[in-house]
Amino acid sequence: MFTLEQQLAEQVKQAVKSLYGLETETDNVQIQKTKQQFEGNLTVVVFPFVKAARKAPQMVAEEIGNALVSADNDKRIVDRFNAVQGFLNLVISPSYWMQCLQDITSSDNYGMQPANGHLMMVEYSSPNTNKPLHLGHVRNNLLGYSIAKIQEANGWHVVKTNIVNDRGIHICKSMLAWQLFGNGETPESTGKKGDHLIGDYYVRFDIEYKKQIKELMAGGMDEDTAKKGAPLIKQAQAMLLKWEQGDPEVRALWEKMNSWVYAGFDETYRMMGVSFDKIYYESQTYLEGKKEVERGLNEGLFYRREDGSVWADLTGNGLDEKLLLRQDGTSVYMTQDIGTAKLRFQDYPIDKMVYVVGNEQEYHFKVLSILLDRLGFRFGKDLVHFSYGMVELPNGKMKSREGTVVDADDLMAQMIADAREVSKDKVNKIAGISDEEAQEIARKVGLGALKYFILKVDPRKNMLFNPEESIDFNGNTGPFIQYTYARIQSVLRKAEDSITTGNLQISNDKEVELIQHLAEYPHVVRQAGQEFSPAVIANYCYQLACDFNSFYHDYSILGETDDSIKQLRLLLSHTVGKVLASGMSLLGIEMPERM
């Protein structure tokens, strides 16, 4: 279905050719929304045609306007026009808007693009198995999942993937602390989620490690030497080496503790409403990375230093030198990412690889792109690092090792509790609602508030998370949009007669504005896909909800006595609800039928 702008551009193109003999492309016809102080729905900028016409801009606008108004009846879109200097303001005919609304209503997949035959892999989450997910992970997961949904809506076949950082020195720190101080604790014996239990021991390692550093410094050792010489860090490094050598006791402990963490992660992901099609594990991909580094070393792409470590010289690319293997032969994140990329492109015919990772890793992905290309992988140059800003708190940055994080599970539980409290009076007014349904509404509203507050922000920007502001039922929030949707469903339930698509009549400009806004949805979905920005969808939904509430305030729906107008308003309400639900689903947000 061609958009209104595309149809008008084609008619303007034909008019310009007929009037002035000027050949132009429809893409070059400039069309924008009419400014509020002028009558009209869309405005054509006529300045590009003035030179060929050899007439004043006002005259050119009027001549093109007359050509559009006098078009054949079956092609006529423009009802009337007004010209203001070089701007042609067009009032679109009511019959066009009526047909537009009916087309939107009858479409099963309105706004969605047909399959384009290409595969996009989107990586997000990337947790470490030494701690539970926190607020920073929440933004990552919500962005990744929403981007995947938006790209699916734009015709891509999307594979959602996760790389779990399940090995390395940080994992060994938790393992060692549990081994030394855990007394055999398990999730069952403590009643804690496994990821929370392991996170406690990561914090415990840091506490004990700092004690040792302090003691060594008190004995006269400088800080750097104390950090390297503390017994705990040496034990953790020795454990990592044993792990890489396949020591059976270390591996058994690692598997047991990781299994606790995975069960905890799965519970968090389910509550958050995100999922993955394929999960990779660093423990399975780092060996492939080491093989590729060794190959690069043999081919002269990398070099080995005297201490045995392997490096890549990137000074020719305007960067510095990058460590690929430590002197003891253990790998680093870059090694793992090389191996993971290789395996992914073996597993899937990927056309575009997107990494959803915070902006503090921009340098890492520049290096990864160069190294993959240097190793001969054609996909190296084309990988996309979706770089997003950090989530900040009123009291500063989060530090996992110090236990000063906002835990994802606690945050979601608190948001649901807050939603239950804030909406208590509203929900209690709903006749016959059970406690279970009230709790389900609170879950949708609480998580919707969290998701919307995070996703409405330009993803490239740092953001300050404010739970109280996010749960407000007024303003640019998830609950405001959900409440608008629930209001629409209430109106439709109260309408005893079924909605028909015949015998409809547009009666005011606000109805036209709503239809025009609905007609923009496919363009908004495309824009969000091109920009990798859920914020584009979020803010569209907010503006649509605002427009509907303004209309609802000014005009009666169920109380309208003219049946043709009433039916139009019911159909319009139904369609606004349908598009709001579609847009919010691209953000991973569920819409309650009652609030």
Side-chain angles (χ1 to χ4, degrees):
M1 185 173 71
F2 288 108
T3 66
L4 172 59
E5 287 82 358
Q6 288 171 326
Q7 294 177 67
L8 281 175
E10 180 61 31
Q11 291 194 9
V12 171
K13 172 186 171 182
Q14 296 300 328
V16 168
K17 182 179 180 181
S18 174
L19 289 167
Y20 314 121
L22 176 64
E23 297 281 356
T24 188
E25 297 297 325
T26 54
D27 290 345
N28 295 330
V29 178
Q30 299 175 36
I31 298 176
Q32 58 197 32
K33 264 192 168 182
T34 303
K35 294 180 178 179
Q36 288 187 344
Q37 62 265 41
F38 301 107
E39 183 190 31
N41 306 114
L42 292 169
T43 297
V44 178
V45 181
V46 303
F47 290 109
F49 316 126
V50 168
K51 186 176 180 181
R54 296 182 179 179
K55 296 179 180 179
Q58 180 75 17
M59 180 64 71
V60 173
E62 290 178 1
E63 289 179 347
I64 295 175
N66 283 321
L68 298 179
V69 168
S70 61
D72 295 338
N73 285 337
D74 60 336
K75 295 180 181 179
R76 184 177 170 184
I77 297 173
V78 178
D79 183 62
R80 59 189 185 276
F81 71 90
N82 62 86
V84 181
Q85 296 179 343
F87 299 95
L88 174 60
N89 302 318
L90 305 175
V91 178
I92 307 304
S93 66
S95 61
Y96 176 87
W97 292 124
M98 196 80 73
Q99 186 60 52
C100 180
L101 177 61
Q102 292 176 335
D103 289 344
I104 294 170
T105 305
S106 62
S107 173
D108 293 331
N109 297 296
Y110 180 61
M112 308 298 108
Q113 299 300 309
N116 62 21
H118 297 296
L119 188 147
M120 179 185 295
M121 180 174 278
V122 180
E123 177 202 286
Y124 58 96
S125 198
S126 308
N128 298 327
T129 57
N130 65 316
K131 56 190 175 184
L133 303 178
H134 56 61
L135 177 56
H137 290 113
V138 171
R139 190 179 198 192
N140 178 288
N141 279 279
L142 297 183
L143 281 170
Y145 185 76
S146 180
I147 286 167
K149 295 276 286 183
I150 289 168
Q151 297 303 345
E152 284 177 347
N154 279 284
W156 287 86
H157 171 52
V158 177
V159 174
K160 304 186 297 294
T161 188
N162 187 358
I163 175 69
V164 179
N165 299 304
D166 63 341
R167 57 160 295 282
I169 191 67
H170 49 295
I171 309 300
C172 290
K173 289 177 181 179
S174 293
M175 291 166 59
L176 181 61
W178 183 86
Q179 198 175 52
L180 294 174
F181 314 114
N183 299 314
E185 283 189 344
T186 67
E188 291 74 22
S189 70
T190 60
K192 285 187 175 182
K193 283 178 77 232
D195 51 338
H196 286 235
L197 180 65
I198 301 309
D200 289 345
Y201 283 101
Y202 184 60
V203 174
R204 179 67 181 273
F205 178 93
D206 190 62
I207 291 170
E208 300 298 332
Y209 177 43
K210 284 180 176 176
K211 286 181 184 177
Q212 291 184 352
I213 293 170
K214 190 174 181 180
E215 289 170 2
L216 292 172
M217 290 175 67
M221 194 177 288
D222 67 82
E223 186 176 1
D224 286 344
T225 306
K227 285 180 177 178
K228 294 175 183 176
L232 269 178
I233 197 66
K234 286 187 173 181
Q235 287 176 274
Q237 290 165 346
M239 180 179 277
L240 175 59
L241 195 56
K242 283 184 177 181
W243 185 94
E244 294 216 359
Q245 292 169 345
D247 181 275
E249 287 186 14
V250 172
R251 286 289 180 125
L253 176 63
W254 170 76
E255 288 178 359
K256 176 171 68 174
M257 293 178 69
N258 272 355
S259 70
W260 297 344
V261 173
Y262 296 144
F265 283 172
D266 287 345
E267 191 177 327
T268 304
Y269 288 138
R270 278 195 298 273
M271 176 57 75
M272 200 180 297
V274 303
S275 59
F276 307 94
D277 302 305
K278 174 73 174 180
I279 297 179
Y280 290 87
Y281 299 89
E282 183 181 345
S283 58
Q284 298 169 355
T285 66
Y286 85 104
L287 290 176
E288 282 295 329
K290 289 180 76 170
K291 288 178 188 176
E292 289 303 316
V293 171
E294 292 290 350
R295 175 172 71 82
L297 186 64
N298 293 333
E299 294 177 5
L301 303 174
F302 311 132
Y303 74 96
R304 191 185 300 277
R305 290 187 178 177
E306 290 183 5
D307 64 2
S309 58
V310 177
W311 295 72
D313 183 357
L314 305 176
T315 54
N317 300 95
L319 304 175
D320 54 11
E321 298 184 338
K322 180 65 181 176
L323 175 67
L324 300 179
L325 289 175
R326 298 187 185 94
Q327 62 188 72
D328 61 4
T330 55
S331 59
V332 295
Y333 277 130
M334 188 62 70
T335 323
Q336 163 242 301
D337 278 348
I338 290 170
T340 306
K342 178 184 176 182
L343 291 177
R344 283 173 172 163
F345 278 83
Q346 286 178 354
D347 293 343
Y348 294 93
I350 299 171
D351 296 294
K352 188 178 286 291
M353 179 70 222
V354 180
Y355 295 86
V356 180
V357 183
N359 55 19
E360 80 279 8
Q361 293 293 324
E362 285 181 357
Y363 176 80
H364 177 91
F365 284 98
K366 282 182 183 177
V367 172
L368 178 62
S369 177
I370 293 168
L371 293 180
L372 288 171
D373 184 55
R374 187 176 293 187
L375 286 164
F377 296 113
R378 63 173 179 78
F379 52 81
K381 288 182 178 179
D382 298 326
L383 68 84
V384 176
H385 173 208
F386 176 78
S387 174
Y388 65 89
M390 295 295 98
V391 184
E392 297 172 350
L393 298 169
N395 58 352
K397 293 184 178 179
M398 299 177 290
K399 296 180 181 179
S400 300
R401 64 182 178 275
E402 296 177 6
T404 59
V405 301
V406 174
D407 178 82
D409 295 315
D410 294 343
L411 174 62
M412 289 189 288
Q414 188 60 53
M415 292 297 295
I416 293 169
D418 289 349
R420 183 73 187 263
E421 183 62 29
V422 170
S423 62
K424 183 169 58 178
D425 293 339
K426 292 183 174 67
V427 171
N428 288 344
K429 291 177 183 177
I430 303 176
I433 191 168
S434 65
D435 285 342
E436 291 78 10
E437 188 177 355
Q439 184 60 27
E440 179 63 4
I441 292 171
R443 183 190 67 81
K444 290 179 179 178
V445 173
L447 294 179
L450 171 64
K451 294 177 180 183
Y452 186 86
F453 193 88
I454 285 176
L455 294 176
K456 74 175 182 179
V457 178
D458 182 338
R460 294 165 296 183
K461 296 179 179 178
N462 289 350
M463 66 170 293
L464 184 70
F465 180 70
N466 185 332
E468 291 182 8
E469 185 181 333
S470 72
I471 209 77
D472 196 340
F473 279 74
N474 299 300
N476 190 1
T477 67
F480 169 74
I481 299 170
Q482 289 173 315
Y483 189 73
T484 302
Y485 176 83
R487 167 179 275 174
I488 290 170
Q489 302 316 303
S490 176
V491 169
L492 298 178
R493 283 192 298 270
K494 291 175 183 175
E496 295 181 2
D497 48 345
S498 59
I499 302 172
T500 63
T501 57
N503 189 33
L504 304 177
Q505 181 182 335
I506 293 174
S507 63
N508 60 70
D509 288 342
K510 286 200 172 178
E511 291 165 350
V512 170
E513 288 172 9
L514 271 175
I515 298 171
Q516 185 173 1
H517 205 155
L518 290 168
E520 293 168 2
Y521 182 57
H523 170 74
V524 169
V525 174
R526 284 194 296 271
Q527 181 186 350
Q530 291 164 358
E531 297 179 8
F532 287 83
S533 180
V536 172
I537 299 289
N539 289 291
Y540 169 83
C541 289
Y542 171 63
Q543 290 300 327
L544 180 59
C546 287
D547 283 357
F548 179 82
N549 281 301
S550 176
F551 161 73
Y552 181 84
H553 177 270
D554 291 350
Y555 298 97
S556 174
I557 299 175
L558 297 176
E560 174 56 51
T561 55
D562 187 319
D563 188 61
S564 62
I565 296 176
K566 178 181 177 180
Q567 286 296 322
L568 181 281
R569 292 177 183 172
L570 285 171
L571 183 63
L572 187 54
S573 300
H574 164 79
T575 309
V576 169
K578 169 183 170 179
V579 172
L580 283 176
S582 173
M584 294 291 269
S585 74
L586 296 181
L587 306 179
I589 296 174
E590 300 170 85
M591 301 293 265
E593 296 294 311
R594 302 199 288 177
M595 276 177 73

